[in-house]
Amino acid sequence: MKNFKKAAAVLLFLAVFLLNGFCQNAGSVENLTHYTLKNGLELYVAENHTVPLAYIEICFKTGGVSQTAQNAGLFHLYEHMMFKGNSKFKTAEDLQNAMTELGVTNYNGTTSGEKVNYFFTLPKSQLKKGLEFWNYAVRKPTLDKRELEAEKKVVISEITGDQSNPGYMAQLSKHKDLFAEAPYKTDVLGSVYNLQNATVEQLKEIQKNYFIPNNAALFVGGDVNPAEVYKLVNSIYGSWTKGKIDQNDVNFQFSKTPFTKPMLKVLPYDQISPQIAQISVSYRGPDAFFDRQDTYTIDMLLKYAANPASVYKTELVQNPKLKIPGNEYCGLSYVTMRKLGVIENVAVVLDPQDNLPQRAILFAELLPELLKKQIPDENDPATIAEKEMIFNIMNNSRVFEQETAAGLLSQAEFWWCCTDVDYYFGYMDELEKVTGADMEALVDKYFNGTFPLITVYVNPDVYAVTKASFAAAGFEEITQQNAFWWSGAAAK
């Protein structure tokens, strides 16, 4: 058992450990307790007695990254089918009635690139029935063929509706380029062809391989007692049979160098004002599963770059060729992901009819140099003060995150999905260890050692008069015909 409570409860949890033998102690966060069942199912309990409610979420480390070209979109379809009936609640109507009787609020399920999850909030008196509800849903879904045919139409309508959305086109085009070996692993909605031809047998195969206890975690929080929650979970979920995890799937890694030269794209986008344009420069970033230490380094470097007075922002805004109107109009971003790490360098620029293709290329070319300049002098008193300010802000944010059970569990769930919960607990300590030499090595590895994807978003009317200049500079227009990984052919 991993115990994150204070010492007053240690003897109680030690007794549970001796009786069940499920884990070792680690970590240090108040009011969060971690257990692991013998079948591999993890359980995180956040205790907060402010209101008589309980939150239950079950999450699986799967989603887009588990897809093949033939089943891309079916993980999202499977998520939908969980609300269509199971061995206890036979129909979608039965499921809805059951949640109403439980007093459920705020229920949903989601599928993303690296997870599938289901959750709801209910009165604490219904905790056992709530745990049983999700047990039936995830372990014994009906997967009725007639329901499947009906739900296909719902999901297909999502895909066809999004296909004409320039923002959706840009996202999938970007993923197709950055994750070229298997772009279908980044497309949760998938192709219409796959959805039209989806079968119950395919969904059962997905269930067998990915919706298994040793690929899952339960997150329970609110007005609950951790030991009692564990006892309930063990009695309800303990009989769930452990599955076999495909290690080839686990170890699959996308290339960090997808391009042999800068990739240039332009998107006419009617939501962009004719007075401005947006430039996005995208690099493959660290993947937490493979590049754990690099995730701390990039986070620390970007925190320095985010300062409005940073070298990065100041020199970009002061460069007359770029025409960035202010430091709030440029920035770097990186979200820690298990296998889908991307670093974005974005700017809004004025006068889009003035040499925009060349300015976009210049913006990208300046980034490695500016990031090298941004690396702080660790002995400079100003750097020491800035670092202290950064950590104060982060500590305050973490205190706020942990104020509620839902806030604490949302953090635990996020980090469990992309790394592990220990990453969150040790995050501040690891950031403290990041050195200037680490940052310099990271810039060389992810920026100087590779080429970016440069995407320009411009108003269609402006693009009409600048199209020739974009073509001359080597930019390819993003269209419905080339934006999607399955464009031009069915994913057969």
Side-chain angles (χ1 to χ4, degrees):
M1 178 191 70
K2 291 183 179 179
N3 175 18
F4 307 118
K5 291 196 62 154
K6 296 301 184 182
V10 166
L11 292 179
L12 171 62
F13 292 137
L14 180 59
V16 177
F17 168 73
L18 292 173
L19 286 170
N20 297 283
F22 42 83
C23 263
Q24 73 277 8
N25 292 321
S28 180
V29 170
E30 187 175 4
N31 296 332
L32 182 66
T33 308
H34 176 213
Y35 307 87
T36 302
L37 276 62
K38 290 182 180 179
N39 60 9
L41 176 66
E42 295 187 67
L43 168 65
Y44 291 89
V45 186
E47 186 177 5
N48 188 313
H49 301 288
T50 305
V51 292
L53 296 173
Y55 173 81
I56 303 172
E57 174 181 350
I58 187 163
C59 186
F60 298 87
K61 286 186 178 180
T62 187
V65 291
S66 303
Q67 295 179 155
T68 66
Q70 290 71 38
N71 69 17
L74 270 61
F75 285 75
H76 178 227
L77 177 62
Y78 183 90
E79 173 227 311
H80 280 230
M81 291 299 294
M82 290 301 92
F83 292 98
K84 298 302 176 182
N86 54 59
S87 63
K88 181 170 184 178
F89 308 108
K90 303 298 184 182
T91 67
E93 184 179 1
D94 291 340
L95 276 163
Q96 292 296 324
N97 290 338
M99 285 193 283
T100 299
E101 291 175 5
L102 288 172
V104 163
T105 62
N106 188 35
Y107 77 91
N108 209 343
T110 72
T111 302
S112 64
E114 297 186 341
K115 75 176 181 183
V116 177
N117 67 329
Y118 305 92
F119 56 86
F120 57 36
T121 301
L122 74 175
K124 73 166 187 176
S125 60
Q126 302 296 322
L127 176 64
K128 180 179 179 181
K129 290 184 178 179
L131 290 168
E132 290 173 341
F133 179 94
W134 288 125
N135 174 65
Y136 285 108
V138 301
R139 291 177 63 183
K140 301 178 180 180
T142 304
L143 301 178
D144 178 76
K145 185 175 182 180
R146 286 175 298 178
E147 285 283 6
L148 175 61
E149 292 304 315
E151 201 61 25
K152 284 182 187 182
K153 297 175 183 177
V154 174
V155 179
I156 288 171
S157 71
E158 290 186 49
I159 300 174
T160 54
D162 282 337
Q163 283 177 7
S164 59
N165 182 323
Y168 180 72
M169 288 168 50
Q171 179 185 12
L172 263 66
S173 175
K174 180 181 296 184
H175 288 169
K176 184 180 75 168
D177 293 330
L178 288 171
F179 303 98
E181 308 100 301
Y184 42 81
K185 290 184 177 292
T186 69
D187 180 12
V188 172
L189 290 184
S191 72
V192 171
Y193 178 87
N194 284 355
L195 270 296
Q196 288 173 334
N197 292 278
T199 65
V200 169
E201 288 70 31
Q202 283 179 298
L203 298 188
K204 288 182 177 179
E205 188 70 12
I206 287 171
Q207 180 188 17
K208 181 184 76 173
N209 292 330
Y210 299 100
F211 288 77
I212 52 180
N214 45 319
N215 194 44
L218 267 168
F219 298 87
V220 181
D223 192 9
V224 299
N225 176 279
E228 292 175 1
V229 172
Y230 169 74
K231 185 177 179 181
L232 284 172
V233 169
N234 199 36
S235 66
I236 296 169
Y237 293 84
S239 61
W240 193 0
T241 303
K242 180 184 291 190
K244 182 178 180 181
I245 296 176
D246 184 347
Q247 292 304 310
N248 290 327
D249 187 30
V250 170
N251 294 325
F252 175 82
Q253 183 178 15
F254 288 100
S255 171
K256 287 294 193 302
T257 55
F259 314 123
T260 56
K261 63 180 181 179
M263 177 75 73
L264 309 177
K265 295 293 180 75
V266 57
L267 177 71
Y269 196 178
D270 58 8
Q271 294 188 31
I272 299 287
S273 164
Q275 284 74 44
I276 63 171
Q278 180 176 305
I279 304 169
S280 176
V281 180
S282 308
Y283 288 85
R284 277 283 284 119
D287 298 323
F289 188 81
F290 302 102
D291 316 298
R292 190 179 181 109
Q293 289 304 124
D294 289 346
T295 65
Y296 303 116
T297 305
I298 187 68
D299 278 357
M300 200 64 220
L301 179 58
L302 266 56
K303 289 183 188 305
Y304 285 114
N307 187 326
S310 66
V311 172
Y312 160 79
K313 284 181 175 284
T314 299
E315 293 206 9
L316 285 176
V317 173
Q318 290 179 352
N319 190 310
K321 295 180 180 179
L322 295 176
K323 299 186 181 182
I324 299 172
N327 56 28
E328 68 270 34
Y329 294 97
C330 58
L332 282 158
S333 67
Y334 164 77
V335 177
T336 307
M337 299 286 282
R338 190 160 77 248
K339 295 185 178 183
L340 303 176
V342 176
I343 304 166
E344 297 277 4
N345 183 35
V346 178
V348 172
V349 299
L350 302 174
D351 299 333
Q353 294 189 38
D354 181 18
N355 227 16
L356 184 56
Q358 288 71 29
R359 290 157 62 196
I361 293 170
L362 173 62
F363 177 63
E365 290 175 344
L366 289 173
L367 181 59
E369 174 190 347
L370 291 180
L371 288 179
K372 281 288 184 80
K373 287 184 178 181
Q374 183 61 64
I375 295 171
D377 178 355
E378 295 155 326
N379 298 314
D380 186 340
T383 296
I384 296 171
E386 183 178 5
K387 185 174 182 179
E388 183 177 353
M389 178 189 69
I390 289 171
F391 276 80
N392 283 338
I393 293 172
M394 292 172 61
N395 279 317
N396 291 339
S397 177
R398 285 164 72 89
V399 169
F400 182 76
E401 291 166 358
Q402 297 171 17
E403 274 296 303
T404 65
L408 180 52
L409 287 177
S410 70
Q411 293 298 317
E413 185 254 34
F414 176 83
W415 294 111
W416 177 84
C417 285
C418 67
T419 54
D420 50 62
V421 177
D422 286 340
Y423 182 102
Y424 176 59
F425 302 146
Y427 181 70
M428 302 294 282
D429 290 338
E430 293 298 329
L431 283 191
E432 283 275 13
K433 298 175 187 177
V434 174
T435 66
D438 294 332
M439 296 181 200
E440 184 170 1
L442 182 130
V443 173
D444 287 335
K445 179 177 180 180
Y446 290 93
F447 299 96
N448 283 326
T450 185
F451 296 99
L453 166 64
I454 304 172
T455 307
V456 179
Y457 303 82
V458 64
N459 182 272
D461 292 336
V462 175
Y463 182 64
V465 299
T466 58
K467 185 173 183 178
S469 65
F470 275 102
F475 281 78
E476 178 186 13
E477 181 182 346
I478 298 172
T479 68
Q480 287 194 7
Q481 287 68 47
N482 63 23
F484 310 111
W485 61 269
W486 38 263
S487 294
K492 296 182 179 180

